[in-house]
Amino acid sequence: MTSLTFYGGVKEIGGNKILLEDRDTKIFLDFGMNFTQHANYFTEYMPPRKCTCIRDLIKLKLLPDIKGIYREDYCKHMKLKDTKDNSIDGVLVSHAHIDHIGYIHFLRKDIPIHVSKETKAIMELFTQTGAGGFNEYTQINPSFQLIPKKNGDGLKRRDARDGFEERDVRVFTFEKKFRIGDLEVVPYRVDHSLPGAAGFVIYTSEGSLVYTGDLRFHGRHKGWSYNFVQKAAEGKPEIMLSEGTRIRETGTKTEEYVQEQSAKEIKNKKGLAIVNFPIRDTDRLLTFYNTALSNNRKLIIEVRQAILLDFLHNAGVQELPKTDDRTIKIF
Ligand SMILES: [Zn+2]
């Protein structure tokens, strides 16, 4: 039997945590944080208590109450009797926005996380540079552990300097079928505001299922989304799971329109021009880069954006400017 259980993402924006079970296989489609619900209890200066976080987050219904999926160091510390016996077979990640990956930190490190190579690069960036204590997407630094001191004189609490342990992160190739247990999955590129976003056609024992992740049809790569629509239709899906944040909106402005308008605004003005956009919206970054270039100006980006550009270049994303580009300056 095939079943779907929604632990987030229904009648809310993001926070997708969808459990798909088929025969002996169990996977999550994304494992994200719902910003609104999370913000009901926590804020930047008041994050979850690390010592009891899994219990707190389950109690607050932010994390699903499922045995066997949470990381051993936390469970052991909280004396939660948990074993990997009924763990899951993997998480299929659509893209690296926090509302789709935000709670991966809490999962066991041996649960395979299936991602595109661009998504892996962004998750590595979060792991290495993320502020706060819950950003271990590709590696974990086991907590609450006592290890022998280097000089052999007693024990010390393990910390980041003692090294990280790798998570089981597996990179898929777009349009290439792969298996997770009894399921067959084909990932397709879709257009979104950051690189590496995927939609999936998943073949179960009771027909195929389409999971769109977040996609759009007005960005620079709308062709990817249309290709996915076509391939998904060819898969003759029984069910399609899609976000409907803007499902009733008709007509929307394209990225080209934003670029034209911003270039026009800046053209005959002197002095500093300030633009505001989400830090990881690399599509918009490219828009303002082009605007700066065509107006003989410099685009000043912040350090975190510069590091993101470097990570994405290393992951093979060619279309974005390099940080040593003459039009780019780092603040
Ligand atoms: Zn998104």
Side-chain angles (χ1 to χ4, degrees):
M1 199 187 98
T2 312
S3 76
L4 286 163
T5 314
F6 296 84
Y7 289 99
V10 177
K11 293 190 177 167
E12 58 188 11
I13 297 172
N16 294 22
K17 290 180 281 299
I18 303 165
L19 181 65
L20 167 62
E21 297 174 81
D22 185 34
R23 291 161 285 185
D24 292 327
T25 302
K26 289 188 268 188
I27 64 167
F28 264 100
L29 308 176
D30 289 328
F31 206 74
M33 173 198 290
N34 179 282
F35 298 130
T36 314
Q37 283 185 29
H38 196 90
N40 283 339
Y41 307 104
F42 305 112
T43 182
E44 213 174 336
Y45 56 85
M46 203 174 72
R49 299 178 294 180
K50 194 170 179 183
C51 59
T52 56
C53 55
I54 288 178
R55 188 178 283 144
D56 289 353
L57 295 175
I58 289 174
K59 191 94 180 160
L60 297 170
K61 298 197 181 332
L62 296 174
L63 281 178
D65 189 3
I66 301 177
K67 293 269 179 293
I69 66 171
Y70 294 116
R71 42 193 287 182
E72 288 170 288
D73 51 345
Y74 286 20
C75 290
K76 199 172 162 201
H77 183 74
M78 282 174 269
K79 298 191 168 53
L80 291 175
K81 287 205 172 26
D82 210 357
T83 63
K84 65 184 286 191
D85 295 351
N86 46 1
S87 186
I88 52 171
D89 301 284
V91 180
L92 200 50
V93 173
S94 64
H95 64 289
H97 276 152
I98 299 298
D99 56 336
H100 292 255
I101 62 166
Y103 286 148
I104 285 176
H105 172 94
F106 299 105
L107 293 174
R108 298 176 61 89
K109 72 173 194 293
D110 53 8
I111 293 175
I113 312 289
H114 299 270
V115 293
S116 67
K117 70 174 189 308
E118 296 90 343
T119 295
K120 185 182 178 193
I122 299 168
M123 282 170 32
E124 273 169 349
L125 171 75
F126 290 169
T127 305
Q128 289 177 29
T129 64
F134 302 102
N135 296 291
E136 292 173 5
Y137 297 107
T138 56
Q139 295 177 313
I140 73 164
N141 173 34
S143 296
F144 317 113
Q145 281 189 3
L146 294 174
I147 57 170
K149 282 185 184 168
K150 274 208 180 83
N151 61 11
D153 186 18
L155 298 169
K156 69 170 210 86
R157 193 179 276 269
R158 186 189 168 121
D159 62 34
R161 284 164 298 186
D162 299 304
F164 284 74
E165 294 177 358
E166 296 297 321
R167 278 191 183 278
D168 187 355
V169 179
R170 303 184 189 185
V171 174
F172 55 66
T173 306
F174 286 111
E175 311 228 359
K176 203 170 159 198
K177 193 181 272 187
F178 65 98
R179 286 195 84 88
I180 309 175
D182 296 320
L183 299 167
E184 284 188 327
V185 180
V186 188
Y188 293 94
R189 280 195 188 279
V190 295
D191 188 38
H192 194 26
S193 59
L194 84 177
F200 303 98
V201 180
I202 304 167
Y203 296 90
T204 76
S205 60
E206 293 187 54
S208 68
L209 176 154
V210 166
Y211 179 52
T212 67
D214 289 358
L215 82 175
R216 61 185 189 175
F217 297 88
H218 59 276
R220 280 199 177 74
H221 298 291
K222 44 185 166 290
W224 291 344
S225 299
Y226 284 112
N227 174 58
F228 172 60
V229 169
Q230 196 185 330
K231 296 288 167 50
E234 286 165 14
K236 303 230 179 305
E238 298 288 327
I239 288 177
M240 182 178 88
L241 303 173
S242 185
E243 289 216 17
T245 314
R246 296 192 172 85
I247 212 155
R248 289 196 177 81
E249 279 182 26
T250 53
T252 187
K253 293 186 173 67
T254 63
E255 203 57 36
E256 289 86 356
Y257 175 85
V258 176
Q259 193 171 306
E260 266 166 38
Q261 291 302 307
S262 59
K264 212 154 61 180
E265 283 294 324
I266 287 170
K267 196 171 176 209
N268 297 317
K269 300 210 168 62
K270 288 200 165 58
L272 184 68
I274 297 175
V275 293
N276 185 20
F277 59 100
I279 182 167
R280 284 180 285 273
D281 187 341
T282 49
D283 217 24
R284 189 56 52 86
L285 187 148
L286 187 56
T287 292
F288 290 129
Y289 168 83
N290 289 336
T291 303
L293 191 65
S294 66
N295 279 288
N296 241 340
R297 284 170 174 261
K298 306 281 183 218
L299 177 68
I300 319 291
I301 59 174
E302 63 164 290
V303 174
R304 285 182 297 167
Q305 285 175 319
I307 300 171
L308 175 65
L309 288 181
D310 284 345
F311 268 71
L312 289 173
H313 265 285
N314 289 338
V317 180
Q318 300 291 335
E319 66 178 357
L320 297 170
K322 289 188 166 168
T323 44
D324 59 3
D325 187 292
R326 289 174 56 165
T327 299
I328 297 271
K329 293 269 179 228
I330 302 165
F331 182 69

